[in-house]
């Protein structure tokens, strides 16, 4: 297992490089997930390998096989983005496609703002217009930290928070680290800030993804972005779906340059 240190935290990653690879994609998983569950088990590794892409994926701090600080100050938007930028620099990669899902998409947006020279295309999955809503704690945001620390997950009343807790338990994640991760709440992105993302971007989310909202609303806030809605999918089922992969690959191949965001509704 290769790893590198970022701000004193050991971060695990995979780097699968076919001979004569056509491009490089860096994958950033969602909250309570890891590189294996978020990308390998769901078929993304093999799909990119079949395309001849170099695949790089890391376990974000607090997750998987990476270091798991229990201090909220070890997390936060800038720190997470710096981890991804650090991996890019550690491997000497230039112009990679950055694909993040859910929490990973938040990180990817911040990487695009902080280090645009490191990136080629940007792909944000599992997020949408709700990213731009005024700051007001949602029921999930209020319930999730306590859910990570609940002695009995069956006592968690919020169904989505209970699902995240069961998912974290299934992955064997460090619940105290995840609670610290959540305690480092970041302010919402501002539309004016997002207009500074200059990478060509794709925003893709399931039609039933209530956590994301409308991907077109977020795509419209970016400088050069198109949106795709995956029919019939929620926040979790969109990740492995063939239509999600198809949208990503079409975007990479330049086939979404004239977007029709309502075509898949």
């Amino acid at each position: 297992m290769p790893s590198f240190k970022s701000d004193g935290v050991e971060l695990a990653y995979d780097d699968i490089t076919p001979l004569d690879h056509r491009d490089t994609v860096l994958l950033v998983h969602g909250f309570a997930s890891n590189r294996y569950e978020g990308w390998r088990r769901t078929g993304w590794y093999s799909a990119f390998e079949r395309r001849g892409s170099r695949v790089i994926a890391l376990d974000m701090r607090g997750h998987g096989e990476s270091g798991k600080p229990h201090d909220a100050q070890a997390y936060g938007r800038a720190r997470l983005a710096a981890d991804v930028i650090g991996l890019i620099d550690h491997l000497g990669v230039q112009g990679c496609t950055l694909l993040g899902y859910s929490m990973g998409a938040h990180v990817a947006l911040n990487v695009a703002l902080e280090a645009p020279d490191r990136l080629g295309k940007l792909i944000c999955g599992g997020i949408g217009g709700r990213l731009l809503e005024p700051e007001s704690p949602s029921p999930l945001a209020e319930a999730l930290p306590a859910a990570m620390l609940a002695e009995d997950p069956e006592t968690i009343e919020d169904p989505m928070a209970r699902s995240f807790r069961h998912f974290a338990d299934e992955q064997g994640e460090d619940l105290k680290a995840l609670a610290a991760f959540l305690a480092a709440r970041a302010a919402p992105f501002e539309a004016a800030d997002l207009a500074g993302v200059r990478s060509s971007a794709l925003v893709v989310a399931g039609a039933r993804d209530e956590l994301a909202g409308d991907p077109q609303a977020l795509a419209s806030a970016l400088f050069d972005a198109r949106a795709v809605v995956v029919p019939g999918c929620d926040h979790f089922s969109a990740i492995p779906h063939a239509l999600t992969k198809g949208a990503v690959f079409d975007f990479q191949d330049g086939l979404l340059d004239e977007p029709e965001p309502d075509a898949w509704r």
Side-chain angles (χ1 to χ4, degrees):
M1 178 195 70
S3 65
F4 78 108
K5 280 193 175 180
S6 177
D7 191 34
V9 177
E10 198 78 20
L11 300 180
Y13 67 91
D14 289 329
D15 181 2
I16 303 168
T17 308
L19 292 175
D20 301 322
H21 58 280
R22 59 184 287 184
D23 57 11
T24 299
V25 59
L26 197 163
L27 309 174
V28 187
H29 63 77
F31 176 74
S33 189
N34 52 67
R35 69 190 195 277
Y36 177 86
E37 174 63 24
W39 303 114
R40 182 178 177 184
R41 191 189 67 78
T42 53
W44 285 94
Y45 276 26
S46 57
F48 277 117
E49 287 182 78
R50 286 193 296 271
R51 285 174 53 85
S53 297
R54 177 184 182 184
V55 178
I56 302 168
L58 81 162
D59 283 341
M60 297 300 295
R61 59 175 57 209
H63 296 76
E65 296 179 294
S66 289
K68 301 174 179 64
H70 289 177
D71 183 352
Q73 293 183 357
Y75 301 96
R77 182 184 294 171
R79 183 66 267 159
L80 299 177
D83 290 344
V84 175
I85 296 167
L87 178 57
I88 291 172
D89 291 344
H90 173 72
L91 296 175
V93 175
Q94 289 291 333
C96 65
T97 293
L98 182 59
L99 167 55
Y101 196 86
S102 192
M103 175 270 288
H106 290 234
V107 175
L109 282 169
N110 210 49
V111 172
L113 288 168
E114 295 292 332
D117 57 309
R118 311 301 209 286
L119 302 185
K121 293 185 175 183
L122 172 68
I123 304 170
C124 297
I127 61 173
R130 292 197 62 178
L131 188 74
L132 301 171
E133 292 180 358
E135 185 175 11
S136 56
S138 67
L140 177 61
E142 292 292 303
L144 203 50
M148 292 298 112
L149 299 177
E151 291 189 12
D152 181 1
E154 297 308 318
T155 64
I156 301 169
E157 295 183 0
D158 185 285
M160 185 64 73
R162 188 166 58 248
S163 294
F164 270 103
R165 169 58 187 271
H166 282 309
F167 183 68
D169 286 339
E170 288 171 358
Q171 306 313 310
E173 296 292 346
D174 184 322
L175 298 176
K176 290 183 179 179
L178 294 182
F181 188 104
L182 293 167
R185 287 184 178 177
F189 284 97
E190 298 288 342
D193 295 333
L194 291 176
V197 174
R198 295 293 160 163
S199 298
S200 178
L202 169 68
V203 184
V204 55
R208 299 178 182 176
D209 188 344
E210 296 180 358
L211 293 179
D214 182 8
Q216 182 58 52
L218 176 56
S220 297
L222 302 175
F223 176 72
D224 176 24
R226 58 281 299 140
V228 169
V229 177
V230 183
C233 289
D234 61 18
H235 192 69
F236 300 103
S237 60
I239 303 173
H241 204 286
L243 289 178
T244 305
K245 294 183 177 72
V248 167
F249 299 151
D250 283 350
F251 172 65
Q252 286 186 294
D253 292 339
L255 301 179
L256 298 181
D257 287 344
E258 295 183 3
E260 295 181 9
D262 293 331
W264 287 14
R265 287 188 185 276

